[in-house]
Amino acid sequence: MTDQNNAGPHVGEPLDEEAIGIDRPGLHAAPGARPRNETFSDIVGRNLARRSFLLGLGASIPVLMTAKLPGFGEAAQAASADKLRFKPISPSNADEILVPNGYVHDVILSWGQPLFSGAPKFKFERQTAKAQEQQFGYNCDFVGFFPLDKDRALLAVNHEYTSGDDMFPEYKPGVDKGQADVEIAAHGGSVVELKKDGGRWKAVKSKKYNRRITATTPMEITGPAAGHALLKTSADPRGTEVLGMLNNCSGGKTPWGTWLTCEENFNQYFANNGLLADGPVKAAHSRYGVTSGATGRKWEAFYDRFDLLKEPNEPFRFGWVVEIDPYDPDFKPRKRTALGRAKHEAATTALTKDGRVAVYTGDDQQFDYVYKFVSKGKVKKKREQNFDLLDKGVLYVAKLSDDNTGEWIELSMKNPTLAGLFKSDGDILIKTRLAADAVGATAMDRPEDVQPNPVSGKVYLTMTNNSARTTLRPNAGETAANPRVPNFNGHIIELTEADDDHGATTFKWEIFLLCGNPTIDLKTEAGELTPGLASNATFFAGYADASKLGKVASPDNIAFDSRGNLWIATDGQPNSLDIGQPNDAMHVVPTDGPDRGYLRQFLSGPKGCEVCGPEFTPDDKTLFAAIQHPGEGGGYPNTVSTWPPDNKAFPRPAVIAVRRKDGGRIGS
């Protein structure tokens, strides 16, 4: 999730901008360079769309299939009748969690916390892989709430990546195998039972439900690409089983109550792509930014599968959406190849009008794409009958036009453009990016989270930032949808599917937010956005009083409360000079009514962190957030952060639960 394109403090080298794509006439790509399709900024700049106020009826449904979707009138009235009423907080650089008056937060899970009876206590200077496999993992990201009853639930949490310099007193990559094994065990995810006690959620050492998933957990490869030659290795000659998941960023929940967890920057774990012979395998790896030489963590020194000279196909087995049943600790995770292979940020779901499921996802890299999968079959009442639903369907990529319309382009052998370039649907799915290049998808400014609004049915797309957008692009649609050059602060798109149907193949779109400091540019309005807007130009859905608006940059994870308010977690605000370089935070903005665009800050994170999650309980009375990599880059003893407060020499990534002191709904 953290921007590796901008050479942040992550382990590993920056992404390879010379990744190879498929050359197409008219793009004039340099030899060996990736072709540049139309970007979203090209589209947005030429014509900021007129706002559509039609509310869709095909909203995404809650995780419990017995829940009912609100009708149009009921939803609209509920959204407008209950305004946000908290007093916003100010941006901060303090090494602590800040929330509005009348709110408190509890740290409910943190790195190293034992999850099982008999699991060892966390000892920073004496870590072992065996202990870490029984403890909460590192760098929590996605948070999913799965109810058991009114006072019990399961929390599914991703563990995206490890930062060795912050995890060990003396980090020795490629030398200390024990440290590598701890890192491998700290990846993946956790399922943890929660119990409400006096209005507060607390973690339980549950023998029945708790589970750790790591980078060595056996997983099944399913769907059209399963068994493909590129997925076969010496350890798996059938190409149907893989060990573990890597760099799981955000995710989603299905209508039948399973957890979708997304492999994002998997490229950084695999070494020596630059030493492979030139050919289609090396070219495909280059398009995904697989490391040219040694990796930062150097797991390849101990395990052949991370060295492309020994296992050139192993990276093809990562970059997938993984489906897991949190209610069944024996469920074998399944990598769903039908959803395509990318640096998936999230995988959020919504129902089509005819009862199928749509899955939205963004590919988090500069100038990459937004995707949608629509299942072939319809959602059935018994949850187990849906466990293979994501193996058959159609994968689409978004193409946005400068007249604020767009289309979903099918990525399959049925598309004549692809039929002449690829050998099978499995081939297309393994090389999803190359297929999207070939069909002229719209290149975006780091598309991350994509979330349907449960009240309106509109879909919101976060573009975190893009410092590499230094010139106007030739594609008008790209320019209109990504209008700032460069885009330091990010923006959010509002997309309306045709006929309010998530199964549609056309849509309308408009800019919802151009993030930044609203007091810098008070004149940016809908009719004034032109290609090449200044990097500090802002737009807050037409909200008129800039003096009330909060400052925001680098929108990343988003979520909706039950009233349709958009909650925005950030990753990169400390890099934004325009807003004063405050800590990353959480903001909220109404999407409809007279306060549409009225953004205000709700939470500030500690130093060096990004704020992830966010996730609400169904009653909106608890807001969960993941505080990822507090103090990142501070080493040991950490010179940046010692959050949570009980730490003295090192910080611990953690999940917090925010609640109102009076027990009321968050934000009301």
Side-chain angles (χ1 to χ4, degrees):
M1 179 180 299
T2 298
D3 184 7
Q4 301 218 10
N5 300 295
N6 293 332
H10 278 278
V11 175
E13 64 179 22
L15 297 177
D16 183 3
E17 286 302 320
E18 295 183 355
I20 298 173
I22 297 175
D23 198 7
R24 294 185 294 111
L27 289 182
H28 308 293
R34 170 191 171 189
R36 296 299 190 181
N37 293 335
E38 178 179 15
T39 67
F40 189 63
S41 64
D42 296 332
I43 302 170
V44 175
R46 280 178 36 179
N47 178 14
L48 183 69
R50 62 180 178 84
R51 184 175 303 129
S52 169
F53 292 99
L54 296 177
L55 293 178
L57 301 181
S60 60
I61 71 174
V63 68
L64 294 182
M65 295 190 64
T66 54
K68 295 181 178 180
L69 293 173
F72 171 85
E74 176 187 352
Q77 292 174 10
S80 61
D82 191 3
K83 290 186 176 183
L84 296 169
R85 301 185 187 280
F86 68 91
K87 183 178 180 180
I89 67 169
S90 299
S92 171
N93 293 111
D95 190 29
E96 60 181 330
I97 299 288
L98 298 176
V99 291
N101 291 334
Y103 290 82
V104 294
H105 77 277
D106 306 303
V107 177
I108 59 171
L109 288 164
S110 60
W111 171 45
Q113 182 171 329
L115 301 183
F116 309 92
S117 297
K121 292 183 178 180
F122 179 68
K123 297 179 180 180
F124 180 79
E125 297 183 356
R126 286 186 288 173
Q127 299 178 58
T128 67
K130 183 177 180 181
Q132 179 64 85
E133 289 170 352
Q134 303 172 71
Q135 300 164 340
F136 194 67
Y138 201 73
N139 271 347
C140 39
D141 198 302
F142 171 80
V143 178
F145 183 87
F146 294 86
L148 291 170
D149 56 42
K150 66 182 183 68
D151 294 321
R152 295 166 58 244
L154 301 178
L155 209 64
V157 182
N158 287 356
H159 302 299
E160 185 176 358
Y161 68 96
T162 53
S163 301
D165 288 330
D166 300 323
M167 291 179 65
F168 305 103
E170 185 180 2
Y171 186 42
K172 301 177 180 179
V175 176
D176 191 327
K177 182 175 181 295
Q179 289 183 346
D181 289 340
V182 170
E183 289 188 294
I184 289 170
H187 280 71
S190 295
V191 177
V192 184
E193 183 177 347
L194 302 182
K195 184 176 181 180
K196 189 181 289 186
D197 182 7
R200 300 171 58 181
W201 290 101
K202 297 181 179 180
V204 176
K205 294 180 180 179
S206 171
K207 181 179 179 180
K208 182 176 181 180
Y209 291 112
N210 285 10
R211 182 181 187 183
R212 271 304 322 280
I213 296 155
T214 74
T216 60
T217 300
M219 301 187 177
E220 183 181 357
I221 300 173
T222 71
H228 191 283
L230 291 177
L231 299 186
K232 296 178 181 179
T233 64
S234 59
D236 176 29
R238 297 179 59 191
T240 57
E241 184 175 85
V242 61
L243 293 181
M245 56 189 193
L246 293 171
N247 212 266
N248 291 69
C249 192
S250 192
K253 299 183 292 188
T254 65
W256 49 95
T258 56
W259 166 28
L260 299 180
T261 173
C262 298
E263 295 180 307
E264 193 190 36
N265 293 306
F266 64 90
N267 58 296
Q268 62 187 268
Y269 299 89
F270 301 98
N272 296 324
N273 184 48
L275 299 181
L276 293 181
D278 291 340
V281 170
K282 182 177 182 178
H285 288 329
S286 296
R287 179 62 180 85
Y288 285 82
V290 174
T291 313
S292 178
T295 68
R297 296 178 183 84
K298 295 183 172 62
W299 295 352
E300 65 270 18
F302 311 111
Y303 298 102
D304 289 352
R305 69 183 179 123
F306 298 108
D307 186 346
L308 270 67
L309 290 177
K310 299 175 181 178
E311 292 290 352
N313 285 351
E314 188 71 13
F316 292 124
R317 295 146 64 83
F318 294 85
W320 303 104
V321 176
V322 184
E323 184 173 13
I324 301 171
D325 183 3
Y327 296 102
D328 180 4
D330 295 323
F331 183 91
K332 188 174 184 179
R334 301 170 184 176
K335 295 198 176 186
R336 302 297 193 187
T337 66
L339 276 63
R341 179 170 168 267
K343 293 181 180 180
H344 294 282
E345 170 70 21
T348 58
T349 61
L351 288 183
T352 67
K353 283 190 171 182
D354 63 2
R356 295 172 294 155
V357 65
V359 183
Y360 293 93
T361 184
D363 187 353
D364 181 11
Q365 190 164 348
Q366 296 166 340
F367 303 109
D368 261 293
Y369 310 123
V370 175
Y371 298 91
K372 178 176 73 170
F373 168 85
V374 180
S375 67
K376 179 180 179 181
K378 297 180 180 180
V379 177
K380 299 179 181 178
K381 291 184 177 180
K382 290 186 178 181
R383 64 190 303 267
E384 293 82 2
Q385 293 179 315
N386 300 298
F387 280 1
D388 294 324
L389 194 61
L390 299 182
D391 282 339
K392 294 180 180 181
V394 179
L395 181 67
Y396 302 92
V397 67
K399 182 175 179 61
L400 291 83
S401 300
D402 61 344
D403 62 356
N404 303 111
T405 63
E407 62 177 315
W408 293 106
I409 302 174
E410 181 170 346
L411 299 180
S412 78
M413 295 296 284
K414 293 180 180 179
N415 187 323
T417 300
L418 301 180
L421 297 171
F422 295 87
K423 298 177 181 179
S424 66
D425 285 340
D427 196 33
I428 290 172
L429 295 168
I430 292 170
K431 304 171 186 175
T432 302
R433 281 186 169 182
L434 279 76
D437 292 341
V439 300
T442 301
M444 307 294 285
D445 285 352
R446 287 189 60 207
E448 295 215 44
D449 215 343
V450 184
Q451 290 273 354
N453 187 325
V455 174
S456 70
K458 294 179 184 293
V459 183
Y460 292 75
L461 296 68
T462 61
M463 306 298 138
T464 296
N465 53 50
N466 189 353
S467 60
R469 187 177 292 282
T470 56
T471 60
L472 286 176
R473 311 278 291 200
N475 186 289
E478 177 183 348
T479 298
N482 303 273
R484 292 185 295 189
V485 180
N487 184 3
F488 291 127
N489 296 319
H491 61 282
I492 298 179
I493 305 297
E494 184 180 70
L495 184 152
T496 304
E497 296 277 25
D499 198 28
D500 300 315
D501 185 359
H502 293 288
T505 57
T506 60
F507 56 85
K508 295 181 179 179
W509 66 268
E510 61 177 292
I511 295 291
F512 179 67
L513 296 180
L514 289 178
C515 299
N517 184 345
T519 63
I520 290 178
D521 181 0
L522 303 182
K523 297 181 180 180
T524 302
E525 297 178 355
E528 298 178 357
L529 288 187
T530 57
L533 279 177
S535 63
N536 60 5
T538 59
F539 177 73
F540 289 76
Y543 191 79
D545 191 348
S547 66
K548 291 183 179 181
L549 291 169
K551 304 173 184 178
V552 60
S554 298
D556 194 329
N557 293 151
I558 54 177
F560 289 93
D561 58 32
S562 63
R563 295 149 287 172
N565 295 308
L566 178 62
W567 295 73
I568 305 166
T570 68
D571 175 19
Q573 289 196 157
N575 298 322
S576 175
L577 295 173
D578 292 332
I579 68 170
Q581 298 180 287
N583 293 350
D584 275 309
M586 191 180 299
H587 309 262
V588 59
V589 56
T591 58
D592 195 22
D595 284 344
R596 174 181 164 92
Y598 178 13
L599 180 138
R600 61 211 90 172
Q601 184 168 336
F602 179 81
L603 179 149
S604 178
K607 289 184 176 180
C609 84
E610 67 175 283
V611 179
C612 307
E615 174 78 340
F616 284 92
T617 53
D619 59 8
D620 285 352
K621 292 185 177 181
T622 301
L623 171 60
F624 297 99
I627 306 301
Q628 187 182 122
H629 60 71
E632 185 168 54
Y636 178 81
N638 199 287
T639 58
V640 176
S641 174
T642 55
W643 184 90
D646 58 344
N647 292 310
K648 295 182 179 180
F650 61 93
R652 296 170 73 175
V655 174
I656 63 172
V658 181
R659 54 190 170 86
R660 274 173 51 168
K661 292 180 179 179
D662 64 4
R665 293 204 298 180
I666 300 290
S668 296

